[in-house]
Amino acid sequence: MHSEDFLSAARVCARLLRNPRVAAEWAEPSALREFSVGGLAGHLAFQILALPAILEAPLPPEPAIGLLDHYSRVEWIGADLDADINVRIRAGGDEAAADGPKALADRVDAAITGLAATLPTESTERPVRIPFWGPWSLTLDDLLVTRLMELAVHADDLAVSVGLPTPRFGESIVDTVLGLLTRLSARRHGAVAVMRALSRAERAPKKINAF
């Protein structure tokens, strides 16, 4: 189960959110188009803040789908910057950040404290749903894999935005995130393209981005 890795990654991101550089550049543009630093910080924090309510919600009635099936259904992959789904994502980040950097960091710390007590007691196979996605569920363990990827990727985005080194995550977290991104990249570009990119510079394709 990925609960301990999630808590570890969440604590790394919580420290980043409290870095003075983040607060100093809160209203400035981030490395992601149309996201302010504060909005991006809010989006990063959401990956943690959403989890308590997800765990407290009634069990969804439908069976959980597979992890890659989830990424076949989400609307944001391949969507234009001004598509409704991306507008809603940015608005959600802005809403989370509305009370400023200290308030956001305090909320994240409180959420992590609560999750440290409850998350390890949950069944890895219980279905969970985020209403924002759509009418489907994942197992809790697969949900945590998706959140680990979001935390790692957006921690890099936020650090780059304010001129900080990218935070370092534990080896098992990196393995999980790279494993997911590699599988998504191979689905998008083909296994041969990914194999060549990782092993044969002379035949490497120009792109193997997962999204």
Side-chain angles (χ1 to χ4, degrees), residues 96-115:
D99 292 331
K102 183 181 183 302
L104 181 65
D106 287 346
R107 289 172 60 205
V108 167
D109 286 346
I112 293 171
T113 297
L115 288 167

Side-chain angles (χ1 to χ4, degrees), residues 46-61:
F46 173 79
Q47 315 310 321
I48 302 164
L49 297 174
L51 203 51
I54 292 170
L55 294 175
E56 291 168 6
L59 291 177

Side-chain angles (χ1 to χ4, degrees), residues 22 49 75 78 114 151 189:
V22 174
L49 297 174
E75 298 177 34
L151 290 173
H189 301 282

Side-chain angles (χ1 to χ4, degrees), residues 10-60:
R11 292 181 181 115
V12 170
C13 293
R15 290 193 292 272
L16 175 61
L17 289 169
R18 286 202 180 275
N19 190 290
R21 294 281 288 274
V22 174
E25 301 190 35
W26 195 253
E28 299 300 318
S30 76
L32 298 186
R33 290 174 58 194
E34 304 298 331
F35 255 127
S36 67
V37 167
L40 178 55
H43 184 60
L44 174 64
F46 173 79
Q47 315 310 321
I48 302 164
L49 297 174
L51 203 51
I54 292 170
L55 294 175
E56 291 168 6
L59 291 177

Side-chain angles (χ1 to χ4, degrees), residues 19-202:
N19 190 290
R21 294 281 288 274
V22 174
E25 301 190 35
W26 195 253
E28 299 300 318
S30 76
L32 298 186
R33 290 174 58 194
E34 304 298 331
F35 255 127
S36 67
V37 167
L40 178 55
H43 184 60
L44 174 64
F46 173 79
Q47 315 310 321
I48 302 164
L49 297 174
L51 203 51
I54 292 170
L55 294 175
E56 291 168 6
L59 291 177
E62 71 277 355
I65 65 172
L67 184 56
L68 294 189
D69 289 338
H70 162 69
Y71 285 103
S72 296
R73 299 187 185 194
V74 293
E75 298 177 34
W76 54 264
I77 294 181
D80 292 337
L81 190 64
D82 293 328
D84 179 66
I85 183 63
N86 284 327
V87 171
R88 284 192 287 140
I89 288 171
R90 294 194 297 272
D94 289 338
E95 182 178 354
D99 292 331
K102 183 181 183 302
L104 181 65
D106 287 346
R107 289 172 60 205
V108 167
D109 286 346
I112 293 171
T113 297
L115 288 167
T118 60
L119 190 56
T121 69
E122 295 284 350
S123 168
T124 62
E125 296 303 311
R126 63 159 288 185
V128 290
R129 182 200 283 189
I130 296 181
F132 188 81
W133 286 344
W136 67 86
S137 301
L138 289 176
T139 65
L140 174 58
D141 211 36
D142 280 347
L143 169 70
L144 294 178
V145 172
T146 71
R147 298 309 92 187
L148 285 171
M149 184 274 289
E150 294 282 344
L151 290 173
V153 169
H154 291 309
D156 177 51
D157 291 332
L158 184 57
V160 168
S161 297
V162 298
L164 291 171
T166 298
R168 298 186 66 176
F169 294 93
E171 184 176 350
S172 61
I173 296 170
V174 173
D175 286 348
T176 296
V177 171
L178 292 183
L180 173 59
L181 292 174
T182 301
R183 291 169 70 193
L184 291 171
S185 175
R187 187 182 69 175
R188 181 171 186 170
H189 301 282
V192 172
V194 176
M195 179 183 68
R196 288 175 175 172
L198 297 174
S199 64
R200 291 291 180 260
E202 68 275 15

